[in-house]
Structures are given as C-alpha cells and as structure tokens.
Amino acid sequence: MKIVVGSDHAGFDLKEECKRFMERELGHEVKDMGVFDKSSADYPQVAHKVARAVAGGEFERGLLVCGTGIGMSMVANRYKGVRASLCHNIYTARLSREHNDANIMTMGGRVIGTGLALEMVRVFLETGFEGGRHQRRIGQFDSTGI
Ligand code: RB5
C-alpha cells in the first residue's frame, strides 16, 4: 500500500516510529511530507500536503500526528474525499475503517504511547470497510438529501 505521513514538531517522534514500523514491519511504501526535525512548525501546512495527496488518489492512506491529533483532523477533513479520523485506541482505529472508511488516521503524539500507536497503525491499515449501511451513510456526508 502507498501511504503518506506527516507531523508537526509535537508529533515528530511518533511519526518517525510509525513510519519505520510501516516500512520495516509491515512492508508498505511510505512518503514522508515532513516535518523532518523538532523545530516549531505549523501543523496546517503539513495537514494540507498529506490531505491533498490522499484526496488526489496518489496515496491510499495517510497518517497525521500533531500534539493531540485534533488540529490535523480539522484541516484534513476540509478536503473532499478525505475521511480523517482522530483515533485514540484500537477500537476507534478499527471502527474508523469498518464503519467510516477512514483514509487518514490522526493521532496525538502527546497523548498516545508508541506501543499503542503502532498497533493502531497496524489495525488502521489492515482493517477493511464493511460497506452496506455504512456506505449509504458516507454517501450523505456532502448533502442532507433533503
Ligand atoms: C502544538 O503545540 C499543538 O497545538 C499541535 O501539535 C496540535 O496539537 C494541534 O491540534
């Protein structure tokens, strides 16, 4: 799978761990949109790059890490075709795929430990979308239907 990742300074360490894990343990192809060190950075700049790459179809999934994951998810969800989910545990990572067909997961580098984050990444990448009634609901994201 082609995956794009990004973080700000607060998510840098966790982004690096997740990137290594995806490449070495899971065998995915990962493109890193930065940041590349821990100097203070504005998270929207990176969120725009990753969300645009996923919305354009160049990458199947994305991972964004900031301090809480909140800002990254807010920015990424402004892009049509992006379904970014802020996840905190295995359950939300799994359901974000099964029910929401999330294509970007966001996480908080100041919230989640590395061991949990890596398992969330595995679940996010390996869990399929259930479709059916969930597909119908996703179809309602951009219009009320009334
Ligand atoms: C940076 O201090 C912090 O605001 C940012 O990483 C993120 O948590 C925003 O949502």
Side-chain angles (χ1 to χ4, degrees):
M1 203 183 285
K2 285 180 74 180
I3 299 159
V4 58
V5 302
S7 76
D8 69 354
H9 55 288
F12 175 76
D13 285 337
L14 191 57
K15 182 260 287 177
E16 290 294 305
E17 295 277 8
C18 291
K19 181 175 67 175
R20 261 194 299 275
F21 180 69
M22 288 176 191
E23 288 173 333
R24 295 182 193 172
E25 299 291 322
L26 304 180
H28 294 293
E29 186 182 328
V30 182
K31 167 86 175 164
D32 190 346
M33 296 285 199
V35 296
F36 299 105
D37 62 41
K38 289 209 245 184
S39 326
S40 183
D42 295 338
Y43 64 84
Q45 302 299 325
V46 179
H48 283 299
K49 287 183 192 167
V50 168
R52 202 175 295 135
V54 171
E58 202 184 334
F59 296 90
E60 207 171 322
R61 301 278 167 80
L63 175 72
L64 282 166
V65 191
C66 60
T68 58
I70 295 170
M72 289 295 201
S73 68
M74 288 178 167
V75 177
N77 276 315
R78 300 173 88 90
Y79 286 78
K80 193 168 171 56
V82 164
R83 290 175 300 281
S85 64
L86 171 57
C87 295
H88 290 110
N89 48 46
I90 301 294
Y91 184 74
T92 49
R94 182 164 61 80
L95 270 289
S96 78
R97 290 288 313 133
E98 289 180 349
H99 288 196
N100 310 107
D101 198 17
N103 48 17
I104 294 181
M105 178 164 70
T106 77
M107 298 191 301
R110 293 173 175 159
V111 180
I112 292 179
T114 305
L116 173 58
L118 299 186
E119 281 313 304
M120 288 167 60
V121 164
R122 183 198 298 278
V123 166
F124 179 68
L125 297 179
E126 294 181 357
T127 303
F129 176 47
E130 284 182 0
R133 68 189 188 281
H134 303 298
Q135 183 64 63
R136 183 182 69 242
R137 290 164 185 164
I138 285 172
Q140 295 169 14
F141 280 15
D142 293 318
S143 77
T144 60
I146 50 173

